[in-house]
Amino acid sequence: MDYKKLADLLFPEVDKDFNYYINKYKKRNLPAGAEVTRIAPSPTGFLHVGTIYGALADYFTAKNSNGVFYMRLEDTDSKREVANAGEIAYDMLCYYDVCPMEGYRGNKAQIGDYGDYIQSKRMNIYKAFAKHLVSIGRAFPCFCSKSETKQDIIDRRNEQLENSDDIEEKDVCRNLTYEQIESNIKAGKPFAIRLLSLGNPDKTFEFTDLIKGKRQIRENNKDIVLLKSNGIPPYSLAHLVDDTLMGTTIVIRGEEWYPSLAAHLELFDAFGLPRLKYAHTPVICKNDENGGKRKLSKRKDPEADARYFITKGYPKTSLIEYLINLLNSDFELWRANNPDLPYTEFKFSLSKIGSNNPMFDFNKLNDISKTVISKMTAKEVYNGVLTWAKEFSPKFAKFLEENRNYCEKVFNIDRETPKPRKDIYCWSMVEEYYSYMFGLVTSTELEKQDEANYKEFILAYGKNFKLPKTKEEWFNGVKQVASTLGYATDNKAYKENPTAFKGNVAKACEFIRLALTGRKNSPDLYEIMTILGNDEINKRFKI
Ligand code: GLU
């Protein structure tokens, strides 16, 4: 068959050759070893937390090699597109300090010499590439009525893989003659373009994924769709065209793309283009309802939405450090050894990413966040809480603004010391956590069996109470009252014969704490008392 003639028959409107585009975009002028990475979300809803996780891998890989990290908007699926999702994605990436250096920038003008960075504006380029493959006999028109979407392909492949791992998937239309094709075109039949696969799945080849390492991969034998009948390319062709022309050096993408890798590589070979480096990141999972593992789901898990962490008031550094920890598990040790360095100093590496899917663990996130917040000054905490409250709790924001000095004192308890208290992990918990400092004590953790001793102690201790000037004097005062009432002031004596006493000094302090805060645990009691002041303390001692 005269493939050139066929290409012109199928694409009479495409006047630019694929070589035109290959030559149009110049090689990037970057230092040796510089890597070019990209984040390429589809604007189909909120930004998935996994996209920030992937963007961190892109960001570090580019930054550590003096390369470029850019953003492309993969908006070829207009049916699933959600208004403003692209802008939100860009803004969210910037909020989490993985702002792309080049490319698509939401409401702002794109920057960079390799645009357009929005796929829907690149249709002519994809067509030129598809036409080229037809012209060299490596792609053909398919007139089968149901043109497949990317999702169709994934679903069909998954289904077929379940039945057999040796799928023969040569499309029926690959054997049409020129005359048959011509008559279909004349009849106005819509067509897709498919790759004419030459692969043999009995054969394998070696490929090194930068995360998975060296693997044997079966050759592709699927005539994958390159252009749908509406002229729009699915991911396979679009990513090849864009990553090639935009000068990507490493495609860092989710593991869900790994099964399509053989087809993608065959496509590069068919074009005679150099294959790119790939790194397939494991996908963030959680325990499912039946004790198994499943991917974080946009439908089921609120924490799949990156904005969730903003509504809860997690400082952004907490989420960032948590995600870095999921990517490179030695981050935790590095952080312990370098408590004061910014996380950007950490030596991130793709090769340190494990192959198991990491589990999203709130306890771990909260621990990391407690450490992050414990290092903040009282002013930083105040500003963090206020910024959060202005958006999510206006009444509390008003209180914070009207009582700024007082609140800063509260936030300074057990803070700005060599061993600060690690307790708060998100701003939305602060109002409740310090409720006893912001209003009256509304609940108590006092236990039933302690009630009589509690009353007796607080009546005695709270009588004409005046807070001593130093912590030492204060503590001596507690000891004195406790000892008069039959509490042990010597811990050794108490340990040897606990039943001889009503309790020890710790118990006495617990009663004071309960009276003032309603809780058994709180930050430093003397500091709390200093901030509350004598009038408020005496009010709370009235029982
Ligand atoms: N648009 C694709 C996605 O959102 C991008 C995959 C890739 O990074 O190559 O899954």
Side-chain angles (χ1 to χ4, degrees):
M1 179 170 337
D2 182 343
Y3 294 119
K4 246 194 119 320
K5 197 168 142 205
L6 176 62
D8 285 333
L9 173 70
L10 298 175
F11 297 100
E13 78 284 13
V14 176
D15 55 352
K16 291 205 172 60
D17 184 37
F18 122 105
N19 281 311
Y20 165 84
Y21 293 106
I22 295 286
N23 297 326
K24 179 175 167 190
Y25 300 97
K26 297 286 163 258
K27 211 173 148 347
R28 287 172 183 268
N29 186 14
L30 291 170
E35 304 291 2
V36 180
T37 61
R38 84 297 189 275
I39 191 80
S42 302
T44 52
F46 59 69
L47 189 80
H48 196 287
V49 69
T51 307
I52 298 176
Y53 160 88
L56 279 164
D58 290 312
Y59 163 84
F60 275 113
T61 304
K63 177 182 155 290
N64 293 350
S65 62
N66 295 316
V68 176
F69 163 47
Y70 72 90
M71 178 165 180
R72 174 169 76 230
L73 195 67
E74 301 210 328
D75 62 339
T76 52
D77 191 348
S78 55
K79 269 196 235 112
R80 290 176 57 221
E81 187 158 342
V82 170
N84 298 328
E87 286 94 319
I88 292 170
Y90 174 78
D91 290 346
M92 198 62 90
L93 289 170
C94 293
Y95 175 82
Y96 281 108
D97 291 340
V98 278
C99 201
M101 308 161 189
E102 176 186 308
Y104 174 80
R105 296 195 304 155
N107 289 324
K108 290 186 274 177
Q110 303 178 27
I111 40 174
D113 298 333
Y114 298 85
D116 202 297
Y117 295 89
I118 300 177
Q119 286 190 330
S120 58
K121 307 229 165 100
R122 301 170 62 79
M123 292 303 154
N124 289 340
I125 311 182
Y126 304 127
K127 278 192 184 157
F129 271 65
K131 181 174 182 180
H132 176 75
L133 267 202
V134 173
S135 76
I136 58 170
R138 287 303 311 273
F140 60 93
C142 166
F143 295 91
C144 299
S145 59
K146 188 177 169 294
S147 74
E148 289 178 307
T149 63
K150 182 167 88 182
Q151 194 53 47
D152 291 332
I153 295 171
I154 292 169
D155 291 347
R156 179 164 54 77
R157 189 188 54 222
N158 286 345
E159 197 179 296
Q160 287 173 331
L161 274 175
E162 262 172 36
N163 302 328
S164 143
D165 56 1
D166 180 15
I167 316 159
E168 189 61 33
E169 207 181 295
K170 302 283 190 261
D171 195 86
V172 285
C173 294
R174 61 168 23 215
N175 296 321
L176 297 179
T177 62
Y178 183 88
E179 289 67 34
Q180 286 170 316
I181 294 171
E182 194 177 32
S183 90
N184 280 342
I185 299 275
K186 280 197 180 136
K189 279 199 185 168
F191 60 90
I193 298 291
R194 284 182 183 269
L195 169 72
L196 188 110
S197 171
L198 302 180
N200 173 359
D202 292 337
K203 287 198 196 143
T204 59
F205 62 98
E206 192 173 281
F207 189 81
T208 303
D209 180 278
L210 297 184
I211 294 173
K212 292 171 167 301
K214 208 182 267 179
R215 294 278 174 103
Q216 287 297 319
I217 300 181
R218 272 172 195 275
E219 285 184 11
N220 169 61
N221 70 338
K222 301 175 197 74
D223 293 342
I224 56 169
V225 175
L226 304 179
L227 284 184
K228 294 186 276 182
S229 57
N230 57 8
I232 294 176
Y235 173 83
S236 313
L237 177 68
H239 106 281
L240 173 142
V241 172
D242 295 345
D243 284 321
T244 298
L245 298 181
M246 295 176 185
T248 306
T249 60
I250 308 181
V251 175
I252 302 174
R253 62 184 182 185
E255 160 122 319
E256 66 270 25
W257 295 104
Y258 189 67
S260 336
L261 180 62
H264 297 163
L265 295 176
E266 185 181 4
L267 200 52
F268 275 92
D269 297 349
F271 277 107
L273 290 170
R275 294 174 173 183
L276 302 177
K277 291 181 275 186
Y278 284 86
H280 290 89
T281 53
V283 178
I284 304 177
C285 288
K286 71 184 282 178
N287 286 323
D288 72 10
E289 300 63 30
N290 315 315
K293 251 186 177 187
R294 65 166 168 77
K295 282 203 270 178
L296 264 194
S297 135
K298 278 198 171 192
R299 267 180 308 112
K300 293 189 198 157
D301 308 311
E303 69 271 29
D305 181 352
R307 194 170 155 75
Y308 172 83
F309 302 91
I310 298 178
T311 59
K312 285 280 165 199
Y314 283 91
K316 63 180 176 183
T317 315
S318 304
L319 183 68
I320 296 169
E321 295 210 357
Y322 175 64
L323 295 175
I324 296 175
N325 203 47
L326 289 188
L327 287 161
N328 276 191
S329 57
D330 62 333
F331 178 76
E332 193 170 5
L333 188 65
W334 177 87
R335 173 47 81 218
N337 292 332
N338 302 280
D340 300 320
L341 289 183
Y343 66 80
T344 44
E345 297 285 310
F346 170 68
K347 292 273 166 289
F348 173 88
S349 164
L350 286 177
S351 63
K352 286 193 279 175
I353 299 180
S355 45
N356 288 344
N357 290 336
M359 303 295 279
F360 198 94
D361 176 0
F362 268 105
N363 290 332
K364 187 87 200 164
L365 168 67
N366 292 348
D367 276 352
I368 288 177
S369 196
K370 281 179 193 173
T371 305
V372 167
I373 293 180
S374 75
K375 287 187 216 153
M376 294 183 180
T377 62
K379 272 200 165 46
E380 284 167 338
V381 170
Y382 177 86
N383 289 333
V385 184
L386 180 62
T387 310
W388 172 83
K390 276 186 178 162
E391 191 172 352
F392 300 103
S393 180
K395 240 173 94 189
F396 185 42
K398 192 161 174 273
F399 174 85
L400 288 161
E401 281 179 315
E402 284 169 0
N403 299 280
R404 184 183 179 115
N405 285 343
Y406 177 81
C407 292
E408 277 186 13
K409 277 192 209 153
V410 171
F411 299 149
N412 200 40
I413 305 175
D414 285 348
R415 189 171 293 285
E416 298 183 41
T417 68
K419 272 198 155 219
R421 190 179 170 89
K422 295 183 179 177
D423 46 8
I424 300 166
Y425 54 84
C426 64
W427 306 136
S428 59
M429 69 185 277
V430 166
E431 185 173 8
E432 164 61 22
Y433 184 75
Y434 284 119
S435 59
Y436 53 87
M437 299 305 284
F438 298 147
L440 286 174
V441 178
T442 49
S443 66
T444 181
E445 292 172 3
L446 176 65
E447 282 166 32
K448 245 214 135 28
Q449 73 270 20
D450 282 344
E451 269 174 17
N453 285 346
Y454 169 80
K455 269 196 181 144
E456 179 193 53
F457 184 85
I458 294 300
L459 277 178
Y461 182 72
K463 199 162 176 210
N464 301 325
F465 181 80
K466 203 160 169 283
L467 187 65
K469 289 265 173 306
T470 67
K471 191 166 179 176
E472 204 187 345
E473 275 177 76
W474 164 79
F475 193 55
N476 284 336
V478 177
K479 278 210 262 189
Q480 204 196 333
V481 177
S483 143
T484 329
L485 293 178
Y487 289 72
T489 49
D490 170 5
N491 253 336
K492 203 165 156 258
Y494 181 65
K495 264 200 189 134
E496 278 164 12
N497 193 5
T499 47
F501 302 95
K502 282 188 185 152
N504 56 2
V505 181
K507 190 76 191 173
C509 287
E510 184 185 297
F511 287 157
I512 302 173
R513 186 171 268 125
L514 278 164
L516 298 178
T517 70
R519 322 244 166 115
K520 281 187 173 179
N521 281 306
S522 78
D524 189 89
L525 188 52
Y526 180 71
E527 276 195 64
I528 289 179
M529 295 174 83
T530 313
I531 296 170
L532 287 175
N534 282 321
D535 288 352
E536 186 62 30
I537 293 175
N538 279 303
K539 253 194 244 164
R540 296 186 187 192
F541 278 161
K542 286 216 167 57
I543 48 173

